[in-house]
Amino acid sequence: LHDVLFPVKYSESFFNSLLREEVMTILALDSKDHTLVGVSTARVEEVDGCYSRPEGYISTLGVKPGRRRGGLGSFLLRRTVEILDEERRCGAIKLHVKADNIAAINMYYKCGFELSEHLVNHYYFDGKRHDALHLVRYIPGGGLAGTSNDGDDDDDRSKSCVIL
């Protein structure tokens, strides 16, 4: 599924790293044929300082092309943020996104992420360089991350997917 979802080609060591304890993976399966239709991977990074909380980093988040625009990506994002906040106690969550991926950028902004940095020529794939945006969502100390359902049309995903 990663080859279909992401232009960056990941190494075998990347996939092996997903098995480490500090990495979390959420899979969305089609409830009829049990095929993988969405994925989110994130890791927790410790930050130095006596009052510092760890930071979350969303490595990948994607939905199979035929299943997009139905709320599954937003659901996976909110669930990932919720786990990083409530269970892993992260003070901030960061990610990178290709600068021309407008649909994903809008989804991240809607979920409270903000621009930290525009990275020129950050990615290299398909024989050329691509810009990226470094986005961050700061989470005030403790409590909920504001990830409750905000009225998006996510109900469709619950009828056709199983989240693991």
Side-chain angles (χ1 to χ4, degrees):
L1 184 63
H2 271 79
D3 290 341
V4 172
L5 297 179
F6 308 111
V8 176
K9 301 305 173 208
Y10 294 97
S11 66
E12 186 173 334
S13 64
F14 169 81
F15 291 106
N16 289 335
S17 76
L18 299 179
L19 302 174
R20 294 192 325 247
E21 184 177 324
E22 67 272 12
V23 176
M24 57 177 252
T25 301
I26 301 172
L27 303 175
L29 304 177
D30 184 287
S31 62
K32 292 179 184 162
D33 63 10
H34 304 289
T35 58
L36 192 57
V37 294
V39 64
S40 171
T41 62
R43 67 180 182 267
V44 176
E45 300 171 338
E46 295 301 323
V47 177
D48 290 335
C50 59
Y51 295 109
S52 298
R53 291 173 62 197
E55 294 181 345
Y57 181 79
I58 298 175
S59 306
T60 63
L61 192 148
V63 174
K64 194 173 179 180
R67 302 299 294 269
R68 293 180 183 160
R69 310 289 309 157
L72 182 56
S74 294
F75 175 81
L76 287 170
L77 177 60
R78 284 196 311 273
R79 183 66 183 126
T80 301
V81 167
E82 182 179 88
I83 291 169
L84 290 171
D85 173 23
E86 296 176 13
E87 295 178 22
R88 306 291 176 96
R89 309 303 296 158
C90 292
I93 302 169
K94 301 177 178 185
L95 60 89
H96 291 90
V97 61
K98 198 165 166 252
D100 64 357
N101 189 344
I102 304 303
I105 293 166
N106 287 335
M107 178 183 68
Y108 294 129
Y109 283 159
K110 189 174 181 182
C111 191
F113 284 82
E114 55 191 62
L115 179 64
S116 173
E117 186 177 7
H118 183 121
L119 303 166
V120 177
N121 296 327
H122 181 72
Y123 296 119
Y124 182 81
F125 54 86
D126 295 336
K128 57 184 173 179
R129 300 212 170 272
H130 304 269
D131 289 2
L133 301 181
H134 180 215
L135 303 180
V136 63
R137 176 176 170 165
Y138 295 101
I139 300 172
L144 297 176
T147 57
S148 63
N149 191 339
D150 57 6
D152 284 348
D153 54 351
D154 291 338
D155 294 337
D156 289 343
R157 58 111 184 123
S158 63
K159 297 174 189 164
S160 60
C161 294
V162 175
I163 307 298
L164 300 176

